Amino acid sequence: MTFTKTLPASRGLPLAAMGVVALLAALFLIPVVIGDEFVYHIFITICLFAGLSTAWNIVGGYAGQLSLGHAMFYGIGGYAGVILMNMGISPWLGMFVGAGVAALVAVVVSYPCFRLQGPFFALATIAFLEVFRVLALHFRGLTGGAMGLMIQLKLGWEWMVFRERLPALIIAFGLMLVCLAVAHLIRSHRLGFYLVATRERESAARAAGVQTVKVRLIAVAVSAALAAMLGTFHAMYLTFIEPAAMFSLSFSIQIAMFALIGGIGTIYGPLLGAALLVPVTEFARGMLGAEALGLHGFVYGVVLVLAVLFMPNGIMGALQRFTARRTGGEEQAVQAGPVVAAARTAESPEERPAIGREVMRVENLDKHFGGLHVTNNVSFSLREGEILGLIGPNGAGKTTVFNMISGFLQPDSGSVSVLDREGRFQNPVTPGDFAALGVGRTFQIVQPFAAMTVEENIMVGAFYRHHDVNDAREAARETAHRMGLAPWLNAEARGLTIGGLKRLEVARVMAMEPRILLLDEVMAGINQTDVRRAIDLMLSIRDTGVSIIAIEHVMQAVMSLSDRVIVLNSGEIVAEGKPHDVVRDPDVIEAYLGKDFAHAQY
Amino acid sequence: METFLQVVANGLMLGGLFAIISIGLTLIFGIIKVVNFAHGEFLMAGMFLTYLITTQLGLHPYASVVVVAPALFVLGAVTQKLLIQPLLSARDEHVQIFATVGLSTAMINLALLIFGADIANTPSSGLRSSIQLGPVRILEGQLYILICAALLVVGLEFFLRRTQTGRAIRAVAQNRAAAQLMGINVNWIYVLSFGIGAACVGLASSLVAPLYPTSSTIGTYFVLTAFVVVVLGGLGSIPGAFVGAIIIGLLDSLAGFYIGSDLREAVVFGVFLVILILKPSGLFGTRLKLSHIS
Amino acid sequence: MLNIEGIDAGYGATTILNGVSLEVNQSEVVTIVGANGAGKTTTLRTIAGLLKPTTGRILFEGEDITKMSAHDIVELGITLIPEGRQLFPDMTVRENLLMGAYRRGARDHQAETMDHVMELFPRIRERLDQHASSLSGGEQQMVAIARGMMARPKLLMFDEPSLGLAPIIVAQVFEVIGKIVASGATVLIVEQNVFNTLKAADRGYVLENGSIVLSDTAEALLKDDHVRQAYLGI
């Protein structure tokens, strides 16, 4: 599921763009030049499937929600078109009615299904498809039931029904272009970044202020509307529809299959998949006729199995690997490159702004997991421009506290208030609320959007302040530079070292321009030089007036950074104060080193 | 009253049928955490095999199980070894889904290529004759299916709880990494489990074939109900699948009689969606299984 | 007994261990000390065969086990008691212990080992028929250790046995580990509770950013300035 190299900025673009244009031109010109009915039919079918598959890809690829019920929307479009046409309304209008209904159905159907993952989402979509098929069979008055519906033969552009094939090709081709354009638009704008981020790491996306449910609903609505429009066209092209054909599971599977084989999640993969597979099987069907009943389906099935085994990223993935090999092992070089961080710029510690008013107030947080009391009556506050260290042994409840002060976990009791820009205290609930108040967080276990480049990862954060792609890219680059990530801007996040990933985690949050920064063990597992650099970086962030709460195990960092330290043990605050006082506290020593050690010392 | 009892009896019989075809599916999911979208086609393959054995060799359909169950075991084991195993570590879940979806598509169409679109009728050997049980009449073959389903549940539970291999299978299902640390060969357990699950489908095929006409799409017809049953019973729970099957059988029968036979499926799938969305762990799902869903 | 020679290991493209070499001799208690994320758990997982090193060799009793699968390594007599207990939650305590004795070398002596383990963990005896998930964290840790003992391993590895436990329970866990050590077992232990562990160990290695930076007797490490500053906080 590679995502990167279809972007405008990627190398080898002119070649790829030329390839796409050539393919599109061929799709239209070949049948026109040959002029054969059967060839026309094949190319119309390619355009139909390419369009459907591209629409599916917005949900199945970008958003990673594997729908096997997309024929549902296609069928809705088909029925809307035919029923309205038989009432005397042009399918050009019916098309939009169908699209509207399909979008509505998609939102209603998908909303509850988003909590299901992987195979369960797929199963739910299959079940919905079956329900629609059964309902279409049942409401005979409207749909003609199992007998199907025939359209009244009214010819001409107005009714989208023709004797010749060329107009149908023009419409199919046009609709396919619309689908491709929409897919391209989504992918290259904020929505596309948000969708992929949500797919890759939902919690990290939420921390970056993405309303994950909303962006997915937009995606399914758009995808369903496009599929419905193609359904209306296809019904007019077929002139006859029946529930078994319009709400078919195998048709749904085909739609998804072309995307997978072409390259799931890429813009042009579905087009490529349909353009390669439809002709092969349609020709086989045309040549062998009834003798080869099932042959094309068998070929599809086998190709699908082979594709997942040997080419899981589809044709696009294979092409990328090919071009990557030709340009030389660039990614290797990128990983092995030296760390050239330019962290702290000018400020020296003496110039730091004074610690200001309270910006976050945490009162009496309590949380149980089953019988375990993970946080017990935790209260503290954070001031403007202050660095607060949160330390304690593993399992003390530090990350649980973080989850509660960023909206990822609801406390059993107690409250978290954050000062808003107008100077009033608010009680945020969801991660989105916290993000809106300027609270940004990192995760202890790094959560990169693995299939995105470093730049795109940071852009997901930057989109919170900049809605325009170019502005967000600019801001992301600036942040990357500050964080010493500039050399890797175009490297995929999954290729970074652990130290790099930690920095990326901070960079993504910094791109949101937070006022309160929650850092969960950003120094764990990085080497001494990087620790020194990270300390400078945090100080420079603080000097811009940002307040920081840092969970940290690296004592050296805690001591030199923190204005104040809170020690958590078994879910309770056991000490609080200046770093040097806290480490001498017997309770703290006992918590960290055990009773024996405490006794041995005092 | 008599009609009602008959409808309930029909529902119970249908429940037995749903149970026997669902047990293998839930077993495979519970252990390997892979949803086998080709499950229905395994059933289809077993039914065609039963058809061939009974018509070509003249055997009783039930006797064909000695060939069908081992054949399906091999089919399952090979599927796991060659198709699922290489994809278990895949970063993206969609490849696992597409793998068995592709297998399903290929098998349906292969059957279409070999047997054509015609229906294959396995000789019923008297199993379609009805018997009177008190106030209700049921098909003999259906009664045997219900009994076999119940015995299979008991047998599998005994195997999983009381034998060393069975315990190892459960250990792998509950905590794969820890099972490895006990010295259990996890990949081998997976192959074995997929084989056992498929062999259960083989048993089901030989029981179902004499009662239902076999066609290339018979699997799709049954598998959707099997998914409903398995989700209702709690994915991975074998007794759950049995109880879920009986509930769905009764629901199907009652809805067919009181609401309309053409809306039966809509009711069943409606229930499925409600359960999937509101209580994805099903009736007997444990915390462990839930964690794979939400 | 165990010799690790210059291994690199990690997850995917991320390398965590860089040229780690260490050895554990018969009847010795060795500890690996290091900060979170230094690669301690990765080292144990690599020895257990859950991770494959990209370079280097691992020898156990002279046999090269570098490429061996995890279950074969268990058969040879190396058992890892993993971080976070990792019990089989829906099995009874008894079943969990029986799974511990799954390896062929232990299966035949199951009953005998069970008696021995019950002596070490009298509290577990009362809980044999409860589901593992119904136990408290401390009890679960005891079952995890008991399960590891059931394998009658030649080398027993502990990964953070005191993780997330209350101090009083930690003391009990260390008491049990002390008994195991006293019985002459060969032990490799990774633990954030550096002080307690060094007190119980014969030798120790200090792991930082995936490399061994220091190795000495436990006694010497306790007195080492670097260790005192970085891990004991003084």
Side-chain angles (χ1 to χ4, degrees):
Chain A
M1 252 207 236
T2 323
F3 168 79
T4 336
K5 299 184 181 128
T6 46
L7 279 182
S10 93
R11 60 176 176 270
L13 169 90
L15 199 72
M18 269 155 50
V20 170
V21 171
L23 180 60
L24 288 175
L27 278 183
F28 188 79
L29 292 176
I30 290 175
V32 175
V33 170
I34 298 179
D36 178 72
E37 286 268 303
F38 182 59
V39 174
Y40 261 119
H41 171 72
I42 290 178
F43 279 77
I44 291 169
T45 311
I46 295 176
C47 290
L48 172 82
F49 273 112
L52 284 170
S53 198
T54 304
W56 177 89
N57 198 35
I58 296 171
V59 173
Y62 300 172
Q65 298 281 335
L66 213 66
S67 160
L68 288 180
H70 247 57
M72 179 166 38
F73 310 122
Y74 159 87
I76 289 173
Y79 273 97
V82 174
I83 292 167
L84 289 174
M85 183 185 190
N86 291 348
M87 289 162 61
I89 298 167
S90 161
W92 290 105
L93 225 72
M95 190 177 249
F96 289 97
V97 175
V101 174
L104 194 68
V105 168
V107 168
V108 171
V109 158
S110 307
Y111 181 73
C113 291
F114 280 152
R115 43 180 299 201
L116 305 172
Q117 279 165 10
F120 302 97
F121 185 84
L123 276 178
T125 57
I126 293 176
F128 272 116
L129 178 67
E130 282 302 302
V131 169
F132 267 83
R133 190 177 59 78
V134 172
L135 292 178
L137 283 169
H138 179 72
F139 292 102
R140 287 182 205 91
L142 198 61
T143 65
M147 300 292 293
L149 268 186
M150 194 69 129
I151 60 167
Q152 293 165 7
L153 220 57
K154 291 185 269 193
L155 294 177
W157 277 94
E158 192 193 346
W159 301 106
M160 217 191 269
V161 184
F162 314 93
R163 265 188 223 297
E164 325 77 66
R165 298 280 190 170
L166 179 60
L169 178 68
I170 294 174
I171 297 173
F173 188 76
L175 284 173
M176 178 189 73
L177 287 185
V178 170
C179 291
L180 285 171
V182 171
H184 189 101
L185 220 66
I186 290 180
R187 183 54 201 82
S188 52
H189 284 80
R190 190 164 71 136
L191 180 60
F193 282 82
Y194 277 3
L195 285 172
V196 177
T198 305
R199 174 190 85 198
E200 293 288 310
R201 297 276 178 168
E202 191 171 349
S203 46
R206 287 166 73 202
V210 179
Q211 289 172 289
T212 54
V213 172
K214 189 176 137 197
V215 296
R216 283 174 175 178
L217 285 179
I218 295 173
V220 293
V222 170
S223 171
L226 290 172
M229 291 169 80
L230 282 154
T232 308
F233 157 75
H234 203 219
M236 297 301 134
Y237 178 72
L238 297 171
T239 68
F240 168 77
I241 57 173
E242 54 173 346
M246 297 311 279
F247 296 106
S248 143
L249 176 58
S250 65
F251 191 84
S252 289
I253 292 173
Q254 270 180 40
I255 296 174
M257 185 184 82
F258 293 127
L260 179 89
I261 288 170
I264 200 165
T266 62
I267 299 174
Y268 297 107
L271 169 69
L272 216 53
L276 280 176
L277 276 175
V278 171
V280 174
T281 52
E282 287 293 322
F283 266 117
R285 184 143 64 172
M287 298 298 157
L288 300 168
E291 285 164 51
L293 190 63
L295 181 65
H296 87 288
F298 179 65
V299 171
Y300 278 160
V302 171
V303 169
L304 191 49
V305 167
L306 293 177
V308 292
L309 281 176
F310 301 110
M311 213 170 55
N313 292 321
I315 302 168
M316 293 295 275
L319 282 178
Q320 274 159 18
R321 231 178 320 160
F322 179 70
T323 47
R325 204 172 302 149
R326 279 208 332 196
T327 46
E330 202 169 306
E331 285 180 38
Q332 282 292 320
V334 163
Q335 280 173 38
V339 185
V340 225
R344 210 164 177 211
T345 38
E347 302 94 325
S348 62
E350 298 84 58
E351 293 169 19
R352 72 171 290 193
I355 292 176
R357 60 192 167 160
E358 231 176 26
V359 287
M360 181 186 259
R361 203 180 287 150
V362 174
E363 285 159 303
N364 315 99
L365 286 187
D366 256 305
K367 185 77 194 172
H368 293 83
F369 288 146
L372 205 61
H373 204 161
V374 277
T375 8
N376 185 0
N377 200 20
V378 167
S379 304
F380 60 86
S381 67
L382 176 71
R383 295 179 168 278
E384 200 164 39
E386 179 187 39
I387 299 182
L388 179 62
L390 186 54
I391 63 171
N394 279 346
K398 303 182 299 285
T399 297
T400 308
V401 169
F402 254 37
N403 284 337
M404 287 190 284
I405 61 175
S406 57
F408 280 84
L409 205 62
Q410 299 312 317
D412 296 341
S413 64
S415 73
V416 181
S417 341
V418 180
L419 196 68
D420 68 10
R421 275 161 224 279
E422 277 76 50
R424 283 184 303 256
F425 272 100
Q426 305 285 351
N427 289 309
V429 180
T430 65
D433 297 345
F434 278 93
L437 287 167
V439 180
R441 73 166 291 186
T442 68
F443 292 88
Q444 181 188 4
I445 296 158
V446 288
Q447 302 214 352
F449 306 124
M452 291 173 135
T453 63
V454 167
E455 179 178 84
E456 290 167 333
N457 264 274
I458 306 174
M459 280 170 78
V460 172
F463 273 122
Y464 199 71
R465 296 277 171 231
H466 310 277
H467 290 200
D468 181 77
V469 188
N470 294 322
D471 294 351
R473 194 182 302 278
E474 200 46 50
R477 286 192 178 154
E478 236 166 72
T479 313
H481 191 76
R482 253 180 97 192
M483 306 294 303
L485 284 167
W488 296 281
L489 274 176
N490 291 315
E492 272 190 25
R494 66 176 122 221
L496 291 181
T497 60
I498 191 76
L501 287 172
K502 294 263 181 195
R503 258 182 290 161
L504 179 59
E505 192 85 10
V506 180
R508 190 172 63 213
V509 182
M510 285 311 293
M512 296 172 69
E513 298 170 21
R515 293 157 56 231
I516 298 172
L517 190 55
L518 309 180
L519 302 174
D520 197 347
E521 289 202 32
V522 288
M523 299 192 193
I526 66 178
N527 62 43
Q528 288 296 317
T529 12
D530 282 354
V531 166
R532 192 60 244 167
R533 197 172 283 132
I535 290 173
D536 284 346
L537 183 71
M538 281 169 71
L539 291 174
S540 79
I541 292 170
R542 179 204 65 190
D543 292 349
T544 62
V546 175
S547 316
I548 299 176
I549 305 181
I551 295 180
E552 214 40 84
H553 271 289
V554 180
M555 275 301 186
Q556 171 204 356
V558 176
M559 301 293 281
S560 56
L561 269 176
S562 314
D563 298 307
R564 228 162 15 109
V565 172
I566 288 176
V567 187
L568 216 55
N569 190 27
S570 302
E572 285 178 71
I573 293 181
V574 292
E576 180 175 354
K578 297 249 176 264
H580 287 276
D581 301 336
V582 164
V583 290
R584 307 210 188 287
D585 188 312
D587 283 343
V588 177
I589 293 168
E590 189 185 319
Y592 262 89
L593 306 165
K595 256 198 176 82
D596 295 351
F597 193 81
H599 293 318
Q601 287 290 302
Y602 296 90
Chain B
M1 186 62 199
E2 212 137 279
T3 329
F4 177 75
L5 284 179
Q6 183 63 49
V7 172
V8 169
N10 290 348
L12 283 177
M13 294 303 124
L14 211 50
L17 170 74
F18 293 160
I20 199 91
I21 60 178
S22 306
I23 289 167
L25 184 66
T26 204
L27 183 75
I28 291 170
F29 179 83
I31 297 156
I32 311 171
K33 319 290 181 223
V34 164
V35 175
N36 179 15
F37 282 88
H39 182 79
E41 283 59 53
F42 280 30
L43 181 74
M44 182 264 294
M47 286 173 74
F48 269 120
L49 202 55
T50 307
Y51 164 76
L52 286 179
I53 291 167
T54 47
T55 52
Q56 303 299 313
L57 304 178
L59 289 175
H60 188 280
Y62 286 179
S64 68
V65 77
V66 294
V67 178
V68 177
L72 266 286
F73 179 93
V74 172
L75 177 64
V78 168
T79 303
Q80 169 63 26
K81 183 94 191 148
L82 297 185
L83 188 60
I84 309 293
Q85 203 94 67
L87 300 177
L88 275 181
S89 58
R91 208 179 64 84
D92 299 311
E93 222 175 11
H94 71 258
V95 297
Q96 287 167 24
I97 299 172
F98 273 118
T100 55
V101 166
L103 182 64
S104 148
T105 307
M107 285 179 74
I108 291 175
N109 289 285
L110 185 63
L112 207 54
L113 267 174
I114 297 172
F115 297 97
D118 296 334
I119 281 169
N121 279 310
T122 305
S124 67
S125 304
L127 294 166
R128 273 187 227 170
S129 54
S130 57
I131 46 175
Q132 187 81 34
L133 270 182
V136 297
R137 296 185 74 79
I138 48 175
L139 294 186
E140 215 181 308
Q142 286 191 321
L143 185 62
Y144 296 147
I145 289 179
L146 183 62
I147 293 167
C148 281
L151 289 177
L152 185 61
V153 171
V154 174
L156 282 174
E157 283 293 297
F158 179 83
F159 167 69
L160 290 174
R161 290 185 189 281
R162 295 293 155 83
T163 67
Q164 178 89 357
T165 310
R167 270 199 294 266
I169 290 178
R170 281 167 60 223
V172 170
Q174 291 177 26
N175 191 333
R176 183 188 158 151
Q180 256 178 314
L181 292 175
M182 301 299 110
I184 298 171
N185 183 342
V186 171
N187 286 347
W188 186 78
I189 291 286
Y190 279 168
V191 170
L192 180 71
S193 308
F194 213 114
I196 294 173
C200 293
V201 182
L203 171 66
S205 321
S206 295
L207 291 166
V208 173
L211 302 183
Y212 287 83
T214 305
S215 71
S216 59
T217 52
I218 188 82
T220 324
Y221 175 78
F222 279 127
V223 77
L224 291 173
T225 317
F227 280 134
V228 177
V229 162
V230 164
V231 169
L232 176 65
L235 274 153
S237 162
I238 293 169
F242 188 81
V243 176
I246 299 294
I247 292 173
I248 293 296
L250 288 171
L251 191 68
D252 189 306
S253 180
L254 291 168
F257 189 77
Y258 292 103
I259 298 176
S261 65
D262 61 339
L263 281 182
R264 279 178 14 239
E265 285 175 313
V267 171
V268 169
F269 287 119
V271 169
F272 173 58
L273 288 166
V274 168
I275 290 184
L276 202 53
I277 290 158
L278 294 185
K279 196 175 187 307
S281 58
L283 299 176
F284 297 86
T286 61
R287 182 179 29 76
L288 186 78
K289 278 126 206 168
L290 181 69
S291 69
H292 286 272
I293 297 163
S294 48
Chain C
M1 189 180 210
L2 179 77
N3 288 289
I4 300 180
E5 299 172 357
I7 54 164
D8 285 7
Y11 303 87
T14 320
T15 308
I16 295 183
L17 300 184
N18 280 310
V20 168
S21 297
L22 57 84
E23 59 178 45
V24 181
N25 301 313
Q26 182 83 44
S27 302
E28 201 179 27
V29 179
V30 175
T31 178
I32 305 174
V33 172
N36 265 6
K40 296 170 303 198
T41 294
T42 307
T43 308
L44 294 193
R45 289 174 59 87
T46 310
I47 298 169
L50 296 173
L51 270 181
K52 296 286 161 238
T54 46
T55 52
R57 289 202 304 168
I58 304 174
L59 301 175
F60 182 66
E61 295 184 319
E63 189 177 350
D64 189 337
I65 62 165
T66 318
K67 292 197 169 66
M68 234 179 238
S69 58
H71 58 267
D72 287 332
I73 290 174
V74 175
E75 287 295 342
L76 288 181
I78 301 180
T79 289
L80 169 64
I81 298 169
E83 184 180 337
R85 279 95 69 179
Q86 306 287 341
L87 298 183
F88 304 113
D90 295 334
M91 285 185 163
T92 62
V93 170
R94 188 192 307 275
E95 284 177 315
N96 266 281
L97 296 181
L98 289 179
M99 288 323 298
Y102 184 86
R103 97 177 172 99
R104 272 184 285 279
R107 227 177 273 183
D108 303 337
H109 312 278
Q110 214 166 271
E112 189 188 318
T113 324
M114 186 79 126
D115 289 343
H116 170 68
V117 169
M118 286 300 105
E119 274 169 37
L120 262 176
F121 301 91
R123 295 264 310 276
I124 292 181
R125 196 194 292 276
E126 307 151 23
R127 307 240 182 264
L128 277 177
D129 294 313
Q130 282 185 20
H131 271 226
S133 56
S134 68
L135 303 184
S136 71
E139 288 168 332
Q140 288 193 14
Q141 185 59 57
M142 295 298 184
V143 174
I145 296 173
R147 187 179 63 176
M149 302 281 294
M150 287 296 292
R152 302 169 72 104
K154 296 176 190 160
L155 169 65
L156 190 56
M157 301 192 291
F158 290 88
D159 192 359
E160 304 272 9
S162 77
L163 187 68
L165 299 178
I168 176 114
I169 312 288
V170 172
Q172 290 172 12
V173 168
F174 272 97
E175 197 181 316
V176 165
I177 293 174
K179 281 189 201 163
I180 294 170
V181 167
S183 73
T186 313
V187 172
L188 178 59
I189 181 165
V190 156
E191 171 59 55
Q192 58 164 334
N193 199 321
V194 174
F195 180 76
N196 274 350
T197 320
L198 281 176
K199 285 224 122 174
D202 300 318
R203 282 192 308 117
Y205 292 89
V206 179
L207 192 63
E208 277 175 16
N209 299 302
S211 303
I212 301 278
V213 295
L214 202 60
S215 93
D216 212 326
T217 62
E219 218 171 314
L221 287 178
L222 269 173
K223 293 193 183 110
D224 184 272
D225 279 345
H226 178 74
V227 173
R228 287 173 78 88
Q229 200 187 354
Y231 305 105
L232 304 177
I234 18 178

